[in-house]
Amino acid sequence: MASSLRNFRSDDRSAVLELSRHALQRPAEQVGNPLWKTSDELESELAEWEVDPAETLLVEEHEGAVIGFGGVEVSPGWEHADLFGPLVAPEFRGQKLGTLLLEASIERAENRGAERILASIGTRNLGGRLLLERAGFRHQGTASAVFRVTPADHRPVEPGPPGVTVRPGAPEDLDMALHLYRECFPGGVFPDAAWREGLEAGTVYLAESNGTGLAVVNIDLSDRWIYHLGVTESERSHGVGSYVLSRALADYWTRHPGDALGLSVSADNLPALRLYRRQGFAPLLVVESFELPL
């Protein structure tokens, strides 16, 4: 069939949501983006993008119906783009629509000045893996487990370690947050500006004792995602990480009640897996990461 790729539009959202739900329910079709289960999740994430989604997301159309979805998220100041999809309706597979969506997504990232594209797919999505590898994507690191938690399922940690307090960070805490981030995630790709924005929004949380930063966690409002739970080396295995996460969630939900939050963690990081499960996080999928230098 002839390709009918076009820019994503607001009225495509319900059809794209169905493609996302379909993929999430089937391990052989899962991708790392999107992970939308509800219209609220889709609306919330796209509303926070700095670049209009219509400029970087695409759909494939057939006789007026959306049958495929893909694209990238590219934020100013970031060196990489995040791949979305590609997702194709089951009855239209085998016609190279996934390849067309992927090629167009790469072009969108290049046009926006991204230096590389990051992608992730379910570990059982062999077709998706072949698609990425044929386009030049390279496998990166170990598999990651994706979890979700809701306010109803969360099991708080009380009390915390003696002398440890947790609070939302403020702009003047940038140096502390960056010090913890760089110690705990030496290969991290978050630019300083992203940490500054999180501190201004009150969604970067710090654990401290006598004014010394011990741990940090960042909750991204746009995609409802928990990033970078990190604890300084001297305080690990003392309950600080579990406590800062628990208090951060409690504070976040006072301002954003009902939000389900996600996170990913290396699938072989057993201490972290136990921490998340103890607090009520439920496993969603396991993904592998890929990268395409541009």
Side-chain angles (χ1 to χ4, degrees), residues 119-174:
S120 57
I121 58 171
T123 54
R124 293 168 61 182
N125 185 349
L126 301 182
R129 180 179 185 131
L130 289 174
L131 181 66
L132 292 178
E133 290 178 341
R134 282 198 297 265
F137 281 81
R138 299 186 302 229
H139 185 259
Q140 300 290 312
T142 60
S144 296
V146 178
F147 287 82
R148 269 197 175 152
V149 67
T150 66
D153 293 329
H154 181 232
R155 296 193 289 271
V157 173
E158 293 288 355
V164 175
T165 59
V166 176
R167 61 176 176 85
E172 56 268 27
D173 296 309
L174 180 61

Side-chain angles (χ1 to χ4, degrees), residues 1 32 39-40 45 47 54 71 86 91 96 136 142 151 161 163 171 175 215 217 222 232 257-258:
M1 61 180 283
S39 58
D40 187 44
E45 180 167 354
E91 61 269 31
K96 298 190 179 300
T142 60
D175 287 345
V217 62
S222 64
T232 191

Side-chain angles (χ1 to χ4, degrees), residues 45-53 73-78 112 197:
E45 180 167 354
L46 296 187
E48 295 292 333
W49 282 21
E50 296 181 70
V51 175
D52 187 345
E73 179 186 7
V74 188
S75 299
W78 294 70
R112 284 280 166 183
E197 291 170 4

Side-chain angles (χ1 to χ4, degrees), residues 3 34 36 48 57 61 94 111 144 209 215 246 258 282 286:
S3 173
W36 301 317
E48 295 292 333
L57 296 181
E61 192 175 60
N111 291 342
S144 296
S209 178
S246 180
V286 180

Side-chain angles (χ1 to χ4, degrees), residues 100-118:
L100 291 171
L101 282 162
L102 180 58
E103 290 174 346
S105 300
I106 294 170
E107 183 178 355
R108 294 289 169 101
E110 289 175 327
N111 291 342
R112 284 280 166 183
E115 297 181 11
R116 61 189 186 277
I117 302 175
L118 304 183

Side-chain angles (χ1 to χ4, degrees), residues 11-66:
D11 58 2
D12 297 323
R13 297 186 178 204
S14 60
V16 169
L17 179 60
E18 286 306 308
L19 289 171
S20 175
R21 287 171 171 163
H22 180 91
L24 276 171
Q25 293 168 359
R26 293 161 177 79
E29 301 176 23
Q30 290 170 345
V31 295
N33 285 311
L35 296 176
W36 301 317
K37 287 186 171 183
T38 68
S39 58
D40 187 44
E41 290 173 354
L42 183 155
E43 296 285 349
S44 174
E45 180 167 354
L46 296 187
E48 295 292 333
W49 282 21
E50 296 181 70
V51 175
D52 187 345
E55 298 181 24
T56 62
L57 296 181
L58 309 110
V59 298
E60 177 74 34
E61 192 175 60
H62 178 68
E63 296 182 352
V66 171

